[in-house]
Amino acid sequence: MSTQDTTRRLRPQLISEDVISWHGLQTISTYDTNRADASVANLQQAYQAMLTQQQAETEKLTLYRAAADAARLAEWEFHNAVLAMKEVVRGQYGSNSDQAQAVGLKKKSEYKRRLLTLCIFREFSGKLFVLFLFDLKCLLQAL
């Protein structure tokens, strides 16, 4: 007999088949064995232990899910409170203030301005080539 890997769960279908076999054995009134691990008393004890542990697992999973939901909601409440605080700091001190930077906001002056570029393409022999690349800000200032 091969070594059993008891670290993995049994398939629910296999457990269901085992329960059906156990219920079928209960209909056999003449069943008797010398093997202690296959006795009716041992099977009854193992079945009851399995049901008890499955019930305990279900109860703990329910508690875990409830705790996870409560933690998730608390996280969102905290996050929303921080967002409200940042709005208040931005409103009271301005978006370019040291106070805004202290609460994790980026100063307005620290944002890089986007460069607007103009590219002029020309097709030669089925391939595109860039002929000119202009910075529109510089181009508009030159006009």
Side-chain angles (χ1 to χ4, degrees):
M1 192 173 210
S2 65
T3 307
Q4 295 178 340
D5 181 11
T6 58
T7 60
R8 66 174 180 81
R9 298 292 298 256
L10 293 173
R11 293 186 335 266
Q13 181 182 357
L14 183 60
I15 294 172
S16 179
E17 291 170 1
D18 288 345
V19 170
I20 290 170
S21 296
W22 163 240
H23 289 151
L25 177 68
Q26 291 175 324
T27 64
I28 304 173
S29 60
T30 57
Y31 178 78
D32 190 26
T33 183
N34 291 332
R35 288 185 57 179
D37 60 335
S39 69
V40 173
N42 187 55
L43 286 163
Q44 178 66 36
Q45 183 272 331
Y47 179 66
Q48 287 303 321
M50 179 188 73
L51 291 178
T52 302
Q53 293 302 320
Q54 285 177 337
Q55 181 179 353
E57 178 188 30
T58 302
E59 291 168 358
K60 289 176 182 174
L61 276 173
T62 302
L63 291 173
Y64 165 77
R65 289 182 184 130
D69 285 346
R72 179 182 44 79
L73 290 174
E75 289 166 357
W76 274 104
E77 287 177 17
F78 174 69
H79 177 68
N80 288 331
V82 168
L83 291 178
M85 175 267 303
K86 287 180 179 183
E87 285 180 24
V88 169
V89 168
R90 192 180 300 127
Q92 283 183 354
Y93 301 103
S95 57
N96 204 30
S97 66
D98 291 335
Q99 292 85 352
Q101 189 177 25
V103 296
L105 295 172
K106 202 170 187 180
K107 283 186 173 182
K108 199 172 192 178
S109 60
E110 291 177 356
Y111 285 101
K112 290 184 179 179
R113 292 182 177 242
R114 289 177 54 195
L115 294 178
L116 299 174
T117 56
L118 173 68
C119 296
I120 300 176
F121 294 98
R122 182 69 188 236
E123 184 177 344
F124 293 108
S125 307
K127 295 182 182 177
L128 283 178
F129 292 93
V130 176
L131 294 180
F132 300 102
L133 181 63
F134 294 107
D135 178 0
L136 285 184
K137 184 178 176 188
C138 294
L139 186 65
L140 291 175
Q141 287 175 353
L143 297 177

